[in-house]
Amino acid sequence: MKKTFVFVILVVAVLLCGCKKKVDMPDIPQVNEPAVEESDVIIKDDIFSETTDFDIGVSAEVYITAPKVEAPEYGENVDKLNQLFEMCADTVKNEYFHDVSIGESSEGAAATSRMLTYDVYTAKDGYVSVLLKITSSIAGGVHPTEAYRCISYDLKEGKLLSLADVVGEDKVDSVKALIIDRMKKTPEKYYTAEDDALDEIDISYSFLEKDDIIYIVIDEYAIAPRSEGVQIFEINKGDIG
């Protein structure tokens, strides 16, 4: 009798388990990592530094961080662009070696330092636009001097671009007119803000590009006192008439 009773209990338990409602696990939405756009152009640092101490207690120093482009898709055109960057770096190196030669042969040598750095404005779709900044400092000088070089390069064509290539030959004067308009808003900053203020300034290769904006770079002293520094004018392409 006990065995029968236990058997009945087991049967009921099995039936109850079989009737239990199945609970579905909730769907967990998949969280995908945002896609990272990979550029066809990579720019890395090409670094060189050296210091030479002289017996008279001064030294010559050089610090170079130049850009070096990697873009296998564009073959030898990448080498051509890198050669341009190397030429700029070599100019700074040669100035340093000149400082060294003077320091080693002259009792009145002054401590000097030279530096090259860069900023990337565009590096994608076969297009590179980079600003090189060269700073020179000589002991006894009131302040360091700064010079800038703009390099905008089409890797597809293997060509250093001019402003006329980007905006059109007939639009260069329009760009200058827009700059003059900006200058007239703060004329006290410039030697002159008259309509002919840029007549002697060549901006053919003094520009950078990022998205739909062109940056015109004019070295210190060219149109304004050194106290105003380098002049960089931001021009929207849509404003160029």
Side-chain angles (χ1 to χ4, degrees):
M1 183 71 179
K2 289 182 179 180
K3 292 182 179 180
T4 302
F5 179 76
V6 171
F7 176 78
V8 172
I9 293 297
L10 290 173
V11 171
V12 172
V14 170
L15 291 174
L16 288 174
C17 289
C19 294
K20 184 180 290 186
K21 183 178 180 181
K22 181 180 178 182
V23 179
D24 295 323
M25 294 296 293
D27 291 330
I28 300 176
Q30 296 293 319
V31 180
N32 297 321
E33 292 289 333
V36 178
E37 182 180 354
E38 293 187 3
S39 175
D40 57 340
V41 179
I42 297 173
I43 297 182
K44 295 185 177 181
D45 293 343
D46 188 8
I47 299 173
F48 174 84
S49 66
E50 187 171 299
T51 301
T52 301
D53 295 317
F54 307 128
D55 293 337
I56 55 179
V58 296
S59 63
E61 302 173 322
V62 61
Y63 304 95
I64 294 175
T65 304
K68 186 169 185 178
V69 175
E70 294 182 0
E73 179 179 344
Y74 302 103
E76 64 180 11
N77 290 341
V78 177
D79 297 331
K80 293 178 182 178
L81 174 55
N82 282 332
Q83 286 173 5
L84 286 177
F85 291 138
E86 289 168 8
M87 288 173 59
C88 294
D90 286 344
T91 297
V92 178
K93 290 179 185 178
N94 290 335
E95 290 172 345
Y96 159 74
F97 293 131
H98 177 70
D99 296 338
V100 169
S101 67
I102 293 176
E104 290 176 338
S105 62
S106 172
E107 294 181 357
T112 65
S113 67
R114 300 184 185 275
M115 181 169 63
L116 184 149
T117 57
Y118 71 94
D119 291 312
V120 177
Y121 280 64
T122 302
K124 63 179 181 179
D125 300 330
Y127 185 53
V128 175
S129 189
V130 172
L131 176 66
L132 302 178
K133 177 182 177 181
I134 301 170
T135 305
S136 304
S137 179
I138 299 177
V142 177
H143 48 69
T145 60
E146 295 180 349
Y148 296 82
R149 182 169 181 190
C150 304
I151 294 181
S152 293
Y153 199 89
D154 184 345
L155 286 170
K156 298 175 184 176
E157 299 294 330
K159 178 181 179 181
L160 179 66
L161 298 175
S162 69
L163 183 60
D165 291 325
V166 174
V167 302
E169 187 70 46
D170 59 333
K171 301 295 184 182
V172 174
D173 286 341
S174 297
V175 173
K176 283 191 171 184
L178 288 171
I179 295 174
I180 294 292
D181 288 343
R182 304 279 178 85
M183 293 169 64
K184 287 181 176 180
K185 293 179 180 178
T186 53
E188 68 280 0
K189 293 175 56 177
Y190 306 99
Y191 300 137
T192 177
E194 298 298 323
D195 291 343
D196 61 353
L198 299 179
D199 283 359
E200 302 302 318
I201 304 296
D202 186 1
I203 60 173
S204 298
Y205 294 94
S206 297
F207 76 97
L208 301 155
E209 191 173 3
K210 183 176 182 179
D211 299 326
D212 291 325
I213 299 176
I214 291 175
Y215 301 85
I216 304 298
V217 181
I218 302 179
D219 277 340
E220 59 184 31
Y221 294 113
I223 61 174
R226 186 214 171 256
S227 57
E228 298 297 337
V230 61
Q231 299 295 303
I232 301 180
F233 298 91
E234 182 178 318
I235 308 292
N236 289 306
K237 286 185 178 179
D239 293 337
I240 301 173

